[in-house]
Amino acid sequence: MVELNLMFFAVAIPAVIFAGISKGGFGSGVAFASSSILALILDPGQALALMLPILMVIDLATLRPYWKRWSWPDARLLMLGAVPGVVLGALLYRATDEDLLRLLIGGISVGFVIWHVAQTRGWVRGFANRLPPPAGLFAGMVAGFTSFVSHAGGPPAAVYLLSQRLTKTEFQATTVLVFWVINIAKFVPYAYLGMFTLQTAWADLLLTPFAILGAWLGVRAHWMMSERLFFGIAYVLLTLTGTKLIWDALT
């Protein structure tokens, strides 16, 4: 049961606004922090199910400002690759338990921060050349899988897109389009697996205005806010929530 009490809204409202800002202005790369945050107070499956309709609302709110500004060849590769990734994620979900989901969400959260630190310190170098089309299909498959199990498809998609030397707006518009399609693809298996409930639907309805607010702020932050500040806050949140989820899963 999702209890719609003061504690729930104190955590869920900032998480949803944060997801909107991330998806609306910063390429969706850290929007999955919202799922990690919600998984601290909800069962992981409930957190994922609650966030999916919210993410779909944010997708719709951010499509118009970036309409046709995307790189269609790159978007197409990622979307084609995502389909088998979503199927794989659905199969894993049926065979797993809540602690394994916590471990996956927490591990992806902390792993993403470690990857960023490694790049910043020069331990891992970016790709000197554009990655070939097969790499786009593979990145899409990984994005589809990680998106299904933790709404964390942004990082693998970003690795491929960054290698394509897109402009800031092309990158953002491409991620908006790709994850709009991926989230639609996830909705059917989520429903089939029984992840949605009347409680999550009611919570989504109450949180939708905050999702739209976050998307609106994100589109404006895309042009005005320092990326360094935004991602700095996001990395702290991912480290704290990811570590807590890993601890809960193992103890």
Side-chain angles (χ1 to χ4, degrees):
M1 293 286 291
V2 178
E3 296 186 18
L4 305 182
N5 52 29
L6 181 61
M7 173 62 74
F8 171 79
F9 286 108
V11 174
I13 289 175
V16 166
I17 292 175
F18 181 85
I21 294 173
S22 178
K23 287 179 69 65
F26 297 94
S28 302
V30 292
F32 72 98
S34 299
S35 301
S36 301
I37 293 169
L38 285 174
L40 296 175
I41 61 170
L42 301 175
D43 292 338
Q46 290 177 332
L48 295 174
L50 190 149
M51 278 305 302
L52 181 56
I54 292 294
L55 295 174
M56 295 174 74
V57 168
I58 296 171
D59 291 334
L60 287 175
T62 53
L63 264 178
R64 184 176 179 181
Y66 298 109
W67 188 255
K68 291 188 177 180
R69 297 187 180 188
W70 46 68
S71 169
W72 172 247
D74 295 315
R76 181 179 56 197
L77 285 172
L78 290 170
M79 290 186 293
L80 287 174
V83 174
V86 169
V87 172
L88 182 60
L91 293 174
L92 176 65
Y93 185 88
R94 294 192 65 176
T96 191
D97 60 17
E98 292 178 359
D99 283 334
L100 181 55
L101 276 178
R102 289 189 181 94
L103 190 60
L104 283 171
I105 297 172
I108 290 171
S109 300
V110 175
F112 178 62
V113 175
I114 293 173
W115 172 262
H116 169 74
V117 172
Q119 284 188 312
T120 302
R121 297 292 179 88
W123 302 335
V124 177
R125 296 187 180 277
F127 296 100
N129 300 313
R130 287 182 172 87
L131 290 173
L137 291 172
F138 179 75
M141 184 177 69
V142 177
F145 173 76
T146 55
S147 183
F148 192 95
V149 300
S150 64
H151 296 318
V159 170
Y160 172 74
L161 290 176
L162 289 173
S163 79
Q164 303 305 299
R165 310 294 191 267
L166 304 180
T167 67
K168 175 182 176 182
T169 300
E170 284 178 327
F171 176 87
Q172 172 63 21
T174 303
T175 59
V176 167
L177 175 63
V178 167
F179 288 102
W180 175 54
V181 173
I182 289 178
N183 285 333
I184 291 173
K186 286 156 50 178
F187 191 88
V188 173
Y190 268 45
Y192 176 77
L193 292 168
M195 296 172 67
F196 299 124
T197 65
L198 288 176
Q199 288 78 20
T200 61
W202 182 236
D204 284 329
L205 183 63
L206 295 174
L207 292 170
T208 291
F210 300 100
I212 296 172
L213 172 62
W216 181 83
L217 291 172
V219 172
R220 279 147 186 79
H222 176 75
W223 309 105
M224 299 172 59
M225 184 179 181
S226 164
E227 292 187 16
R228 183 175 182 179
L229 172 61
F230 177 79
F231 283 110
I233 295 170
Y235 297 143
V236 171
L237 289 173
L238 286 170
T239 301
L240 293 175
T241 57
T243 302
K244 178 64 164 58
L245 289 171
I246 293 171
W247 174 263
D248 289 345
L250 296 177
T251 57

